[in-house]
Amino acid sequence: QVQVVESGGGLVQAAGSLRRSCAPSGRTFSMNVMGWFRQAPGKGRVFVSSIRWSVANTIYADSAKGRFTISRDNGRNTVYLQMNSLKPEDTAVYYCAAGPLGSASSYSRDYDTWGQGTQVTVSS
């Protein structure tokens, strides 16, 4: 069974930092690209960042550029999302996803395995 397991997140004050982790398991050879998405209360799920396993091809949403960093540790089979300078508007449920594409993608349809999501709350 293919799945992704998330960790990290929680409550932080504005301007603070958090790190999310995501580790795929199962048939990981089909998970060429990993992505992070988020869903704020009353809004749809939106793209945050994506990275390719084999080559560090990364992309970011405009809201994440300069503040968030996505990285991967191939030895640990783990992807990280380092979130700095957090703002109250970053409050959302954050989801990790895995997909078979050969390049990073901002489209949720390109991901076929999703984590359970974890709440990140930024207080002002």
Side-chain angles (χ1 to χ4, degrees):
Q1 182 179 357
V2 176
Q3 61 179 348
V4 291
V5 179
E6 305 173 28
S7 61
L11 174 65
V12 66
Q13 289 187 330
S17 299
L18 280 175
R19 189 177 77 162
R20 300 293 321 281
S21 300
C22 177
S25 63
R27 298 179 63 186
T28 58
F29 63 85
S30 66
M31 300 180 185
N32 295 323
V33 62
M34 303 294 293
W36 289 97
F37 291 76
R38 69 186 185 186
Q39 186 167 15
K43 298 186 177 180
R45 190 174 300 185
V46 298
F47 170 74
V48 176
S49 184
S50 176
I51 189 168
R52 181 180 167 187
W53 278 112
S54 59
V55 177
N57 161 230
T58 61
I59 56 174
Y60 294 91
D62 287 344
S63 60
K65 289 178 181 177
R67 300 188 300 126
F68 295 4
T69 302
I70 191 170
S71 62
R72 85 264 194 260
D73 184 332
N74 293 67
R76 294 180 182 272
N77 200 37
T78 300
V79 170
Y80 302 97
L81 182 68
Q82 178 67 43
M83 303 183 289
N84 298 328
S85 302
L86 284 161
K87 306 173 182 179
E89 50 264 44
D90 293 317
T91 295
V93 176
Y94 283 70
Y95 296 89
C96 177
L101 286 188
S103 62
S105 172
S106 62
Y107 297 101
S108 59
R109 64 174 181 261
D110 291 333
Y111 299 85
D112 53 14
T113 303
W114 292 81
Q116 77 280 5
T118 303
Q119 179 70 43
V120 171
T121 302
V122 184
S123 62
S124 58

